[in-house]
Amino acid sequence: MSPNATPEPDVIELDLSDVEPRVGQPIGGGQLWEPCSASDIRRWVMAMDYPNPLHWDHKFAGESRYGGIIAPQSIAVALDYGHGCAPACVGRIPGSHLIFGGEEWWFYGAAVRPGDKLVQDRRFHDYKVVQTKFAGPTMFQRGDTTHRNQHGTLVARERSTSIRYLAAEANKRGMYENQVGEVKRWTELELNEIAVLRHEWLMSNRLGISPHFDEVEVGDTLPRRVLGPHSIASFTTEYRAFLFNIWGTFGWVTPEGVEDPWVYQDPGWTEGFAFDEEGAKIDPRKRDGLYVGPSRGHIDGDKAGAVGMARAYGYGATMGAWCTDYLAYWAGNDGLVRHIKSDFRGPAFEGDVTYFDAEVIGKEAVSTWGVPLVELELRLTNQDGGVLVDSTAEVELPL
């Protein structure tokens, strides 16, 4: 090379040699040992700040048409290993980290009750690699999960999207570090305004009364919701409500007839973020994700910075659950979220709040589901107008 020549920039690439051969293959993963309990349901809605008394109030639920507590539709992700992301995190990519990119859900009307046990079938669907400002070469990986109960009844299907990238490259680029600034300090007046808005939403459909299909018009807006300010305490509460994160709750399962099935091999987490599977047989902290493991950045600003996230941040699967719960609350106890597709645009950072705004954009009296559906658009934003989630959904309402 001439001494005056401009050196070629380093070429950053993802090692996909362990990813490509697994496309289209069934995979294994974790399976919860015990059935879902009423306390599991209560813990989940408490963590999601979802106050529908059908899911926690023994007396209210007992007097409902269900005759007792049932779980919210969003419980399916809490009863699955890996926040539902297992089939979208397949193949070893050395030096990588993962964040959630989106979820799509189809619900079939089978309520989850205390004593039910969901069983999952998982499949790695596909992937693509694109160049991003966040981390350079970035893989968007999709996987499918089917959720059935102990009777074989289909409860839900999910398509999860993960975003896998090289942590060192994201850290070097520091995109969020340049965007998010300091943790917001809320004034007493601002916190009071948030509390008022939160309470108004809590009371907007506490009795679970469903709007009738003919009563809803295109252009109608749903009551605004607010969550936050998000904190280390709220992130920890959310994380512990996913049952697989509780010590000793699951075992590994392997699909039959698959050569070299992905059950739990090392995805190649960057240094300091891997589980210690052997050590965890003695000390469970070594694989619970927060003390040791890939989720440490959610509650530790320094660890968040090491993977390009600037400061402590929330969970993609949590945001997906928020969206389903929000629409289900409006739909009431005789309604049902049939389908929802959520694209995650940015994380809920420590100190921020999240606003929910939704509008009816269409109606379908006779749908492929055989029921009347209302189409909605939902957007989650922070206090600065930054978009966290864009969702579209179809919600069944009674005639």
Side-chain angles (χ1 to χ4, degrees):
M1 178 185 295
S2 165
N4 297 321
T6 302
E8 291 291 328
D10 292 337
V11 176
I12 307 299
E13 294 184 348
L14 296 174
D15 179 356
L16 304 182
S17 59
D18 194 45
V19 175
E20 176 61 32
R22 302 180 186 276
V23 174
Q25 294 294 316
I27 71 157
Q31 173 65 57
L32 296 178
W33 293 117
E34 288 90 18
C36 174
S37 72
S39 291
D40 293 333
I41 296 170
R42 291 187 177 103
R43 181 189 295 110
W44 176 247
V45 294
M46 179 178 166
M48 298 302 104
D49 200 29
Y50 182 36
N52 187 340
L54 186 63
H55 309 311
W56 61 270
D57 187 316
H58 183 79
K59 186 173 186 298
F60 180 95
E63 294 172 352
S64 75
R65 68 184 181 92
Y66 294 99
I69 287 173
I70 64 166
Q73 293 179 241
S74 65
I75 195 74
V77 73
L79 300 179
D80 189 9
Y81 173 80
H83 310 84
C85 196
C89 180
V90 176
R92 174 178 167 81
I93 303 176
S96 64
H97 195 68
L98 177 151
I99 56 178
F100 283 54
E103 293 179 345
E104 187 168 11
W105 286 88
W106 296 262
F107 296 98
Y108 296 89
V112 176
R113 299 173 179 270
D116 284 347
K117 182 177 181 179
L118 294 194
V119 178
Q120 293 81 28
D121 291 318
R122 308 179 179 103
R123 176 181 171 274
F124 171 23
H125 181 64
D126 65 6
Y127 74 90
K128 66 178 179 180
V129 177
V130 300
Q131 293 290 328
T132 67
K133 293 181 180 179
F134 172 59
T138 303
M139 182 172 73
F140 291 77
Q141 189 173 29
R142 298 192 298 176
D144 297 335
T145 305
T146 300
H147 303 261
R148 298 181 185 274
N149 66 19
Q150 68 275 18
H151 304 298
T153 303
L154 180 60
V155 174
R157 298 185 192 274
E158 174 191 8
R159 172 161 288 175
S160 177
T161 300
S162 73
I163 301 173
R164 300 181 69 184
Y165 60 94
L166 299 178
E169 184 66 18
N171 188 29
K172 181 174 72 175
R173 293 177 180 233
M175 187 184 81
Y176 284 120
E177 190 70 40
N178 297 326
Q179 291 181 0
V180 302
E182 298 295 323
V183 176
K184 179 173 173 56
R185 304 299 178 187
W186 296 87
T187 67
E188 184 176 354
L189 177 60
E190 289 172 327
L191 291 174
N192 286 339
E193 291 173 347
I194 291 169
V196 169
L197 181 58
R198 177 178 178 273
H199 183 74
E200 288 175 351
W201 182 78
L202 297 184
M203 300 305 295
S204 66
N205 199 15
R206 178 174 170 75
L207 297 181
I209 298 172
S210 296
H212 286 261
F213 179 79
D214 292 338
E215 299 170 344
V216 175
E217 301 292 341
V218 173
D220 287 353
T221 58
L222 276 58
R224 195 177 209 202
R225 183 188 187 188
V226 64
L227 274 173
H230 307 296
S231 65
I232 301 300
S234 68
F235 294 154
T236 304
T237 300
E238 292 165 15
Y239 188 85
R240 293 301 184 204
F242 289 93
L243 297 187
F244 84 98
N245 293 321
I246 300 170
W247 296 353
T249 50
F250 73 91
W252 300 117
V253 296
T254 303
E256 294 183 6
V258 180
E259 185 177 349
D260 187 26
W262 184 269
V263 178
Y264 184 77
Q265 288 90 335
D266 177 13
W269 303 131
T270 188
E271 185 178 355
F273 286 83
F275 293 126
D276 180 354
E277 295 289 341
E278 287 302 312
K281 294 176 181 178
I282 297 171
D283 181 355
R285 283 191 179 188
K286 293 186 176 181
R287 73 105 38 239
D288 76 354
L290 290 190
Y291 290 110
V292 175
S295 297
R296 299 171 75 183
H298 290 295
I299 62 165
D300 184 326
D302 291 337
K303 294 296 183 184
V307 293
M309 299 303 290
R311 66 172 183 255
Y313 62 103
Y315 314 91
T318 292
M319 294 195 298
W322 292 345
C323 293
T324 302
D325 291 342
Y326 171 77
L327 296 175
Y329 198 53
W330 171 77
N333 297 342
D334 293 320
L336 185 73
V337 179
R338 282 289 184 175
H339 171 249
I340 181 168
K341 185 179 188 299
S342 299
D343 295 321
F344 303 154
R345 307 298 187 188
F349 283 112
E350 177 190 2
D352 289 355
V353 298
T354 300
Y355 293 102
F356 296 64
D357 295 286
E359 180 180 352
V360 176
I361 61 169
K363 297 178 65 177
E364 192 175 5
V366 181
S367 69
T368 56
W369 291 87
V371 296
L373 294 181
V374 172
E375 301 170 45
L376 300 106
E377 286 185 345
L378 167 63
R379 172 165 284 185
L380 275 57
T381 56
N382 64 20
Q383 69 278 0
D384 299 318
V387 179
L388 277 63
V389 183
D390 278 322
S391 291
T392 56
E394 287 80 51
V395 177
E396 177 184 348
L397 295 178
L399 289 171

